[in-house]
Amino acid sequence: MLTPQDMARINAAAYPNSTTGFEAADFEKLLKMPNIVAFTRPEGYLIFRVAGLEADIHSFTIAPEYQNKGVGTDMLRDALEQLHDRGVKEVFLEVDTDNLPAQKLYHKAGFYVVGDRPEYYRNPDGTVSHAYTMAYYYGKEDLIGAIDRYRLPL
């Protein structure tokens, strides 16, 4: 299991130009929250916020030296399986529209774009980036259940 200090080190290495990077104290506080589920390996971490049947990817970072080697794919697959075992039916995330490697990773894992968020991210240079909202459903029954849960009475 990674320590908050390890997570901060990986985060800083993966996002060296970030002005909003997480420090060890941020990870300590986050990991103490009751609805947070973290999956860690020496190469990185994947943190979810779980609420009932839903989970949101809060943060997913792989150390630069392990990126594009299948580590993130394996970690995401294992985490999704463990969340399903806990009763989660759907998983959501936001990903920068310019982050093509991450989009490819999520699409390969079975996520679909279900929305967009204009001006979602603030970049270190002061510009803003848009994000896609992506969703993962474990099976046809979970997708149908989600549609029924979110159907608004008209």
Side-chain angles (χ1 to χ4, degrees), residues 28-44:
E28 286 180 32
K29 182 178 175 183
L30 180 65
L31 295 171
K32 289 179 182 177
M33 298 174 121
N35 58 340
I36 293 296
V37 177
F39 299 92
T40 66
R41 292 184 180 177
E43 305 88 354

Side-chain angles (χ1 to χ4, degrees), residues 89-111:
K89 302 291 185 190
E90 54 202 67
V91 179
F92 296 95
L93 63 90
E94 283 80 31
V95 61
D96 194 309
T97 56
D98 294 330
N99 190 344
L100 299 180
Q103 291 174 44
K104 182 178 177 183
L105 169 82
Y106 294 130
H107 183 71
K108 183 177 171 183
F111 283 81

Side-chain angles (χ1 to χ4, degrees), residues 7-18:
M7 296 168 98
R9 178 185 45 75
I10 290 170
N11 188 74
Y15 306 105
N17 298 321
S18 176

Side-chain angles (χ1 to χ4, degrees), residues 75-94:
M75 189 173 202
L76 180 58
R77 185 180 341 106
D78 292 348
L80 290 172
E81 185 177 306
Q82 290 182 47
L83 286 173
H84 192 245
D85 290 346
R86 294 175 182 224
V88 169
K89 302 291 185 190
E90 54 202 67
V91 179
F92 296 95
L93 63 90
E94 283 80 31

Side-chain angles (χ1 to χ4, degrees), residues 95-98 116-121 128-132:
V95 61
D96 194 309
T97 56
D98 294 330
D116 64 311
R117 295 180 180 260
E119 301 181 5
Y120 188 75
Y121 293 108
V128 293
S129 298
H130 303 295
Y132 291 127

